[in-house]
Amino acid sequence: MLPIHVAHVKEGYEDRRASIERQLAEAGLEFSFMLDGDIPDLSEERLERWFSDYMRSASPTTSCACKHLLIWEDLVASGARAALVLEDDALLAGNFVEVVQAAVAEFERDHRLDDPWFVSLENSTLRFVPSKDRRAGRYLYPASKGRCTGAYLIGSAFAKQMLEGAEGGGMDQPVDHYIARYLARDDIQSFWCAPTVVEQGSHAGIFATGI
């Protein structure tokens, strides 16, 4: 498995923490929490660096986006070629590890990990690969539209591009819309995974939404 980063708030979301820790432990997966980027961590310097318009505020939406930016920074700084990113309300399917490993293997076989790429793993927007387009043994399907940011695979080159775009206040939308803006470009390899293997618990009514 790739490095795994989980966006999480330090206090007040203990039920989410317990849930994701249990699921990843049961799957035998090591991970790290991104705890920086909480609302109290949104200094004026940090807001000025990355955000503009209504995103330049100490709000839950901006805090969520900041955590993803910080995860991307860690990914690029680590020298890893890619990472798996989860939000803390992720509900993992029973075949999560099997499908993610197969999807990564498929990407490595057909593409280059060093290129800019992104794979959505979740069903949160109820957007799916049509059954007529799916093929046995295939997991990745090109998609120019984003879904949400509860679960995705991301290449380091794409993370670097989005970080560079955010510098100087370039993030003027929530993180899922910001990513979607890039996915519409021809130079980004974007895929939906089928089957989906993650549902956001806040969308499913398991957890209260934090935004």
Side-chain angles (χ1 to χ4, degrees):
M1 292 292 288
L2 302 172
I4 302 173
H5 301 268
V6 178
H8 180 58
V9 178
K10 297 184 191 77
E11 297 181 353
Y13 293 84
E14 288 77 13
D15 54 347
R16 295 185 182 209
R17 181 172 187 137
S19 172
I20 196 65
E21 285 182 331
R22 174 184 55 77
Q23 293 178 84
L24 291 173
E26 290 176 351
L29 300 176
E30 297 182 357
F31 69 98
S32 61
F33 279 122
M34 174 51 69
L35 299 176
D36 193 6
D38 287 359
I39 289 177
D41 302 324
L42 297 177
S43 63
E44 183 56 34
E45 178 182 2
R46 185 170 273 176
L47 291 172
E48 182 178 0
R49 177 186 176 188
W50 280 326
F51 302 103
S52 60
D53 201 1
Y54 71 96
M55 290 293 289
R56 190 171 170 175
S57 62
S59 68
T61 302
T62 302
S63 172
C64 177
C66 186
K67 288 178 181 292
H68 285 270
L69 286 160
L70 291 167
I71 287 171
W72 301 341
E73 272 200 327
D74 282 357
L75 167 58
V76 172
S78 73
R81 300 165 73 188
L84 167 62
V85 180
L86 301 170
E87 292 182 351
D88 59 5
D89 64 337
L91 303 176
L92 311 184
N95 60 344
F96 175 80
V97 172
E98 173 190 347
V99 170
V100 172
Q101 288 179 330
V104 172
E106 180 180 327
F107 188 91
E108 288 186 291
R109 184 186 69 232
D110 298 335
H111 308 279
R112 285 168 28 91
L113 280 179
D114 293 331
D115 290 337
W117 61 277
F118 182 90
V119 176
S120 172
L121 299 169
E122 65 184 305
N123 66 3
S124 300
T125 56
L126 298 181
R127 292 175 175 169
F128 301 96
V129 177
S131 58
K132 65 181 179 61
D133 296 333
R134 293 178 58 176
R135 300 291 180 266
R138 183 178 173 190
Y139 295 89
L140 300 179
Y141 297 83
S144 60
K145 295 182 178 180
R147 295 197 273 201
C148 291
T149 54
Y152 59 85
L153 299 166
I154 183 170
S156 181
F158 184 38
K160 184 177 180 181
Q161 283 187 355
M162 290 194 293
L163 285 167
E164 292 172 348
E167 286 291 340
M171 185 176 279
D172 57 357
Q173 296 177 295
V175 63
D176 53 338
H177 295 292
Y178 180 73
I179 292 174
R181 181 190 303 167
Y182 280 81
L183 299 186
R185 293 170 24 173
D186 293 336
D187 61 329
I188 307 299
Q189 298 181 81
S190 171
F191 304 89
W192 287 358
C193 181
T196 58
V197 287
V198 174
E199 182 171 16
Q200 288 193 44
S202 56
H203 292 195
I206 304 299
F207 302 115
T209 181
I211 297 179

